[in-house]
Amino acid sequence: MTVTTNQKHADLRIDIGRLNRRLADLAAIGAIEGTEGCARLALTDEDKAGRDLVVTWMHDLGLEVTVDGIGNVVGVMAGETDGPPVMCGSHIDTVRTGGRYDGNLGVLAGLEVVETLLAAGITPPRPLAVAFFTDEEGARFAPDMLGSLVYVGGMPLEEALDITGIDGAQVGPELVRIGYDGPAPLPAAAPHAFVEIHVEQGPVLEAEGTTIGAVTSVQGISWTEVSVTGQSNHAGTTPMSMRRDPGFVAAAAANFARELALDLGAPQVATVGRLELFPNLVNVVPAKATFTVDLRNTDEAVLQDAEARFADFLTATAEAEGCTVETTTLARFEPVIFDPRVVDLVEATATELGHSVKRMPSGAGHDAQMLARICPTAMVFTPSVDGISHNPAEYTSPEDLEAGSNVLLHTMLALAAADDLTPTEG
Ligand code: HGY
Ligand code: MN
Ligand code: MN
C-alpha cells in the first residue's frame, strides 16, 4: 500500500515557461560568458546575489521566510492546518563550472509548485516549505551538504562556522559579510517529509529513454586532502636518484586512484579534482604537492576497502620517494537509503502522470541525504543530456523539467494530504 496521489487536484500542472524564466534569471547571476552556466561558489558575492533574488521571489509569493545560523533559507506557505511542513528544496550555490539546473531546479521548482497552488486558489492541507541550503557543493568549504548537515544536527553550528575554505576565508565571517547569519534555531525542527527534485547529472535516464528517476539511495562519499612534502631542487642539476619529488607522488596517486576504481568496477568512482604544486615553476622540483581524492561507492564495505588500498599505496609511494604525507578528511558520508514509502509515492505519481520511471541510486551527494536523517525523504530525478553536469553545458529539456516538476507538485500534495505517511487504502 502506498500514500496515493491527491486525486482532488489530479489535473493541476506547473507552468514550465514561468519555471524556465526563473531558471534563466537566476543563471544570469554569476553567468559564465558564452555558456548557459553560472558560477556562484558558496558565500561569495555571486551567491549573495542569487540568495537575494530567490528570497525576493519567496516574499513575492507571500512565503514566511526564515534564515538560520548557517545561512539556510526556508520559505513556508501556510496550510489548512499548522504543524511540520512538507518540504522541498536543494541548493543555489554552484561549482566554478556550474550548470543552471544543478540544485537551482530543486529550489525553483518548489517556488513553481507554490505559485501553481496560489494561482489555483488551493491551500494545501499541511504547510509547504521551499528551502535552499548553504554550501551544498562543498567546493569552497568542505564538506559538501554543509548547510543541510547542520540543519539536521549532524554538525554543531560553531564547528561549521570555523571551517576554512580553499581560499583561506572562513564560513562564519563570510556569512556575516553577505548578511545571511540568521536567527532561526539549529538544529531545525523536522519537516513532515522532504522531497528534492534534481537533475540526474549522469547518463542513465537518457540512455534508457526514461523520464523520471525515483531515487532510492545516495552512494557513500569519501573526500580526503593530501599534502605531500619533499624537497625543492634544481630541475636540471639534481640526479633522479637524489630527488624527493612530491609532484611524482601526487601523479602516481592520481593514476592509482583510476586503476583502483577500474579494478573494483562500477559503481566505484575515484577523482583527483584539485592538484596544487609549490612553487609550481617549470625548473623547480616541487617542494610540496597538495591534492584531493574523491572516492564513492554504493557499498560502504567496498568504499572502506578502496580508502584503505589508496592509503597504503600513498604511504608506500611517498616513503620510497623520501617524502612525508599528511591527510585531512574533508567529507565522509555513508550511503543513505531513502524512505521506501516516499520512493513508492514518487514512482506511483510519475506513473499516474503518464511518465516512464525508474528506481535508481544517486551518484551525486544531495541535501536530501541529510534530511533523510530527520524525516521521510526521497528524490525525483530528471534526465541530463549526455549525462553532463558540473559543466556549463549541463542541460535538461523543458519537457523533462515540466514532467519532473509536476511529479514534485503531486508528490507534495499527496504528502500534505496523508496522515503521518500512514499507508492509505487504494
Ligand atoms: O559532490 C557532490 O556529489 C555534490 O555535487 N555536492
Ligand atoms: Mn546538486
Ligand atoms: Mn553539484
Side-chain angles (χ1 to χ4, degrees), residues 102 136-138 144-145 201 221 223 294 296 363-366 390:
D102 178 359
E136 186 278 344
E137 293 294 358
D144 52 349
M145 289 77 71
Q201 301 180 289
I221 298 177
W223 287 1
D294 175 326
R296 307 197 196 194
H366 298 288
H390 285 187

Side-chain angles (χ1 to χ4, degrees), residues 91 93-95 102-103 136-137 198 201 364-366 389-390 394:
H91 61 96
D93 66 295
T94 75
V95 293
D102 178 359
E136 186 278 344
E137 293 294 358
H198 203 290
Q201 301 180 289
H366 298 288
S389 184
H390 285 187
E394 178 184 273

Side-chain angles (χ1 to χ4, degrees), residues 89-125:
S90 191
H91 61 96
I92 60 172
D93 66 295
T94 75
V95 293
R96 205 169 270 142
T97 51
R100 66 172 51 189
Y101 305 101
D102 178 359
N104 302 307
L105 172 63
V107 179
L108 301 186
L111 296 187
E112 178 53 32
V113 164
V114 167
E115 186 147 7
T116 300
L117 295 176
L118 289 173
I122 295 170
T123 302

Side-chain angles (χ1 to χ4, degrees), residues 360-397:
M360 60 191 290
S362 172
H366 298 288
D367 293 308
Q369 74 187 84
M370 300 304 170
L371 273 290
R373 298 186 186 190
I374 61 171
C375 70
T377 295
M379 293 184 72
V380 180
F381 268 176
T382 58
S384 292
V385 170
D386 297 334
I388 285 181
S389 184
H390 285 187
N391 180 318
E394 178 184 273
Y395 181 72
T396 297
S397 72

